Every structure is written in C-alpha cells, then in structure tokens.
C-alpha cells in the first residue's frame, strides 16, 4: 500500500494556539490554585450557563461523572430507560449510580429514543428516562416529557454530543430535570477531559454540587452518597479557551459537514445522516449509513478506508447491548442492531480540510462495488 498522506482520524482535536494556552496556565501557576472550585471553574460555569440559557451549571471531571452525580443527586432508583444505541458511558454511569439500565430501541431516522420505543418498557420499577441527543440532534423532548409526565417519571438527557445544539429554537441544556455534557478532547467544546451538568432546578443543583465534592463545603445539603467529581483549574482553562473559539469551530465544522453531504448524496448506497437538518447543530459528527446495495458491508468499507489511511469508525460496534455487563439480557432492539451494522463515522473537525474531504470522498467512490 502506497502511503502518501497522513492518516485522518475521527475525533480531531480543536486546538487553541499555544500562546493563549501558555498565558492561561501561567495564571494558574501564579495564583498557585490548581483545584477545588477555583476562579477559572467559576468563570467557566457562569459562561456555560449564559451560553446554554440555564440557571445552573456544575462543572465536573468528565461527562460520565456528570451523569453519575446527577443521577445520584436526583434520587433516581430502580430501573432507568435509555437508548441501546449510545456510547457505553451512558449506561455505565447509571450502573455506577446504583441503577438498572433498561435499553430502548431508537428511531431509524433520528437515531434517538422516542415515546413509542420507551412506552413498552415502563413498569412500576422504572423511575426515569434518560434520552441521548445522538450526534447532537435533539430528542423529541416534548413527546418524552409527555410520556414521563403521564407515568410520573424523571426525564433527563445525556447531551454529550449536544453543546450548541437545539430543539426547535430552544437550546439543549435546559430540558428535563438535568442534562449532562462531555468536554472530552474529541468533543466540540473540550477541556481535554471534563464535563458538566446543567439544570434549572436550584435545589437539584445544590444536591449535585454536594454529591460531586467528597466533604464539607458551605451550602451542602443532605445526600445519600458523595464522591470526588471536581473539575481542575487546568481543565477549566482549556474549556474557557475552547468556548472562545466555539463559534468559529462550529462554522468550520458546518463547511465540512456541507461539503461531505453534497458529495455523499451522489454515491448510491451510502446515506448521509443529515442530523443537523432538524434544528441548531454544532455539525461535529459526519455520519453515514452503508446500505445493502452499496455492495460492501460496513466492516468492509471501514477496512477499505483504513487501508488508505482514513480511520473511519463503526458507531457503536457491536453495540452496548452486546457487551458486558449488558449482554446478559436479550434486548429487543432491532433498529439499534441495524444501525450498529451500518453506521460509519468519517473524519471531521479541526485539521480536516477541503482536500482531505475530497480524498475521503474519492476513496468512498472507489469503494463502491
Ligand atoms: C463522550 C460521551 C460520553 C462520556 O463522556 P466523557 O467525558 O468521555 O466521560 C457519554 N455519553 C456520550 C453519548 C458520549 O458521546
């Protein structure tokens, strides 16, 4: 194999220029204040709350811990319904919070759970529904709020993909009792590692702050269990820089997304997942479904791309419902199985230019059998 270009990866990092990073980190060193609710964390929380249009943002170590501490602080119990088609962290966090994940199927178009996929799973042991805004496309939050209300269940969202996205003209961040975000290095807004919970419920916010800090702080309320979930000043510094660049990063993502969409539409047998067409988006994910008549399977196409240094990824393979500890139940999730065997994510994000997209698309055309 002739290798004439550097590999292109899914999950490119947004990189602020190094002099801004140096200035921010010099400030941390001068203050000699590295962690424990420092000034940069406070500033990031205030800016995120403003940006999301919510009353409270609590920054924590990562997106998984965000969901763990928010679930604990909400006093959820027993079973929680979530989509089978998601990153494993959604279920793992709930399991760590002492809950029992119940996996719902998703809609074939939106890749999100719906009132219809949730309804058959509701029984007396279910206390909550946790939706995931897959690829940043918001769940049908009104329909989910309807079914949650009917059965007096809590509703919350894993919005790890969803920073800057919206449902109709409402920003993700204020839906349900709480929403959680990931600021992992590969997400649109990144702290290297990081995450937050957003909520309009002031009492819940205080309970989350209490759970996410192992002991003794003014304002603590009574909670059942506590843990260290604190965000450090270094993480917050990265997050503040990333937030400054956010609009520019979204605009660049949008150009990439539209270029891929225009090109992939012409390739028979590949369906571009146009998740950004339903509402405000951060355009972070370029996703396609490999149809049967493409002539190559998802796995075949992934290998064909990887052999040519385009490191496309199957999402989510083989599917959370098929790996421990969740594979002991025979989940009835045919659409999730279908997606797990069809979906490929293509390289996008910072560092992927127009020529790279042309190269990926031309390999996709060559791959068509
Ligand atoms: C990234 C991600 C998470 C986990 O976030 P971390 O910050 O990596 O812990 C959870 N859920 C979804 C849907 C994700 O994409």
């Amino acid at each position: 194999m002739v290798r004439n270009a550097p590999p292109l990866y899914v999950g490119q990092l947004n990189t602020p220029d190094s002099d801004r990073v140096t200035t921010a980190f010099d400030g941390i060193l001068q203050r000699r204040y590295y962690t424990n609710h420092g000034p940069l964390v406070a500033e990031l929380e205030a800016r995120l709350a403003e940006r999301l249009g919510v009353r409270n943002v609590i920054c924590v170590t990562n997106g998984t811990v965000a969901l763990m501490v928010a679930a604990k602080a909400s006093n959820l119990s027993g079973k929680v319904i979530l989509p089978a088609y998601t990153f494993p962290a959604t279920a793992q966090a709930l399991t760590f919070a002492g809950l029992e994940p119940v996996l719902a199927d998703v809609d074939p178009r939106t890749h999100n759970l719906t009132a219809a996929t949730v309804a058959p799973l509701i029984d007396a042991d279910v206390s909550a529904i946790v939706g995931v805004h897959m690829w940043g496309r918001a769940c049908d939050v009104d329909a989910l709020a309807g079914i949650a209300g009917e059965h007096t269940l809590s509703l919350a969202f894993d919005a790890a993909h969803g920073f800057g996205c919206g449902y109709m003209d409402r920003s993700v961040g204020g839906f349900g009792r709480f929403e959680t975000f990931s600021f992992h290095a590969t997400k649109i807004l990144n702290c290297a590692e990081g995450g937050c919970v957003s909520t309009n419920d002031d009492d819940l916010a205080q309970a989350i702050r209490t759970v996410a800090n192992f002991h003794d702080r003014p304002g603590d309320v009574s909670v059942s269990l506590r843990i260290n979930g604190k965000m450090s000043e270094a993480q917050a510094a990265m997050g503040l820089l990333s937030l400054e660049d956010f609009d520019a990063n979204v605009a660049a993502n949008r150009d990439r997304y539209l270029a891929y969409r225009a090109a992939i539409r012409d390739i028979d047998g590949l369906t571009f997942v146009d998740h950004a067409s339903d509402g405000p988006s951060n355009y972070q994910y370029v996703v396609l479904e490999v149809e049967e008549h493409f002539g190559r399977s998802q796995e075949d196409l992934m290998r064909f791309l990887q052999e040519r240094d385009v490191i496309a990824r199957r999402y989510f393979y083989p599917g959370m419902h098929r790996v421990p500890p969740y594979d002991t139940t025979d989940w009835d999730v045919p659409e999730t199985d279908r997606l797990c065997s069809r979906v490929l994510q293509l390289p996008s994000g910072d560092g992927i230019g127009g020529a790279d997209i042309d190269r990926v698309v031309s390999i996709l055309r060559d791959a068509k059998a």
Side-chain angles (χ1 to χ4, degrees):
M1 179 60 50
V2 183
R3 290 182 188 267
N4 53 11
L8 305 180
Y9 291 96
V10 164
Q12 298 280 325
L13 315 180
N14 292 312
T15 315
D17 32 276
S18 58
D19 48 340
R20 287 161 65 219
V21 177
T22 305
T23 305
F25 276 72
D26 277 347
I28 296 173
L29 299 181
Q30 277 157 23
R31 283 189 294 278
R32 298 183 56 78
Y33 198 110
Y34 295 174
T35 190
N36 285 0
H37 324 283
L40 296 185
V41 169
E43 185 181 344
L44 181 60
E45 289 182 343
R47 292 197 181 198
L48 292 172
E50 188 185 355
R51 177 98 208 188
L52 296 171
V54 292
R55 290 180 55 82
N56 306 279
V57 164
I58 303 99
C59 283
V60 294
T61 318
N62 59 53
T64 307
V65 163
L67 189 49
M68 271 173 59
V69 296
K72 210 40 166 174
S74 304
N75 287 320
L76 304 186
S77 62
K79 297 181 185 170
V80 175
I81 298 172
L82 69 148
Y85 191 68
T86 182
F87 193 63
T90 315
Q92 289 164 352
L94 296 169
T95 301
F96 257 92
L99 301 163
E100 186 188 334
V102 174
L103 306 184
D105 210 0
V106 295
D107 178 84
R109 186 184 79 86
T110 65
H111 303 182
N112 286 329
L113 53 62
T114 65
T117 64
V118 165
L121 301 172
I122 297 175
D123 65 27
D125 297 333
V126 171
S127 70
I129 301 167
V130 174
V132 178
H133 306 303
M134 188 53 55
W135 317 123
R137 170 153 46 196
C139 293
D140 185 344
V141 291
D142 289 339
L144 290 174
I147 191 163
E150 243 170 72
H151 298 271
T152 42
L153 305 177
S154 290
L155 175 64
F157 295 95
D158 175 349
H161 293 179
F163 195 86
C165 299
Y167 173 71
M168 317 271 188
D169 55 356
R170 290 139 67 195
S171 171
V172 162
F175 298 123
R177 286 186 75 191
F178 64 81
E179 303 207 53
T180 59
F181 293 87
S182 167
F183 305 138
H184 182 259
T186 57
K187 304 298 208 267
I188 175 85
L189 183 69
N190 96 77
C191 296
E193 290 271 9
C196 78
V197 188
S198 60
T199 178
N200 283 314
D201 179 336
D202 296 351
D203 293 336
L204 178 59
Q206 202 48 53
I208 292 166
R209 288 190 186 285
T210 307
V211 171
N213 182 53
F214 27 46
H215 77 155
D216 277 359
R217 232 191 131 207
D220 281 355
V221 292
S222 165
V223 295
S224 59
L225 187 63
R226 307 179 67 162
I227 196 167
N228 179 8
K230 298 188 303 286
M231 177 181 273
S232 74
E233 289 289 277
Q235 289 176 288
M238 291 297 286
L240 284 164
L241 294 174
S242 185
L243 194 56
E244 277 173 24
D245 295 343
F246 181 75
D247 291 326
N249 288 338
V250 170
N253 268 353
R254 181 169 180 275
D255 290 345
R256 287 183 277 263
Y257 181 95
L258 295 178
Y260 268 123
R261 185 177 74 176
I264 287 169
R265 272 189 173 164
D266 297 338
I267 305 178
D268 189 31
L270 297 182
T271 300
F272 183 87
V273 178
D274 197 6
H275 55 80
S277 61
D278 283 6
S281 177
N282 58 34
Y283 301 93
Q284 177 77 347
Y285 301 100
V286 171
V287 180
L288 50 82
E289 289 181 35
V290 185
E291 312 289 344
E292 257 113 73
H293 68 276
F294 185 69
R296 278 181 200 275
S297 68
Q298 169 210 46
E299 184 178 0
D300 237 29
L301 178 56
M302 179 184 72
R303 291 198 198 294
F304 190 91
L305 287 159
Q306 290 186 349
E307 280 160 12
R308 286 153 187 82
D309 287 326
V310 175
I311 316 303
R313 296 249 178 247
R314 294 185 278 191
Y315 272 70
F316 299 90
Y317 191 83
M320 178 180 65
H321 61 300
R322 293 191 176 278
V323 296
Y326 307 111
D327 59 346
T328 52
T329 302
D330 189 13
W331 305 103
D332 180 23
V333 290
E335 288 303 339
T336 298
D337 271 322
R338 196 179 129 273
L339 290 174
C340 289
S341 66
R342 285 160 64 107
V343 167
L344 275 187
Q345 195 182 322
L346 298 179
S348 189
D350 204 19
I352 303 286
D356 297 317
I357 293 172
D358 291 346
R359 184 173 132 223
V360 175
V361 168
S362 111
I363 296 169
L364 290 174
R365 286 188 207 287
D366 291 347
K368 168 112 179 100

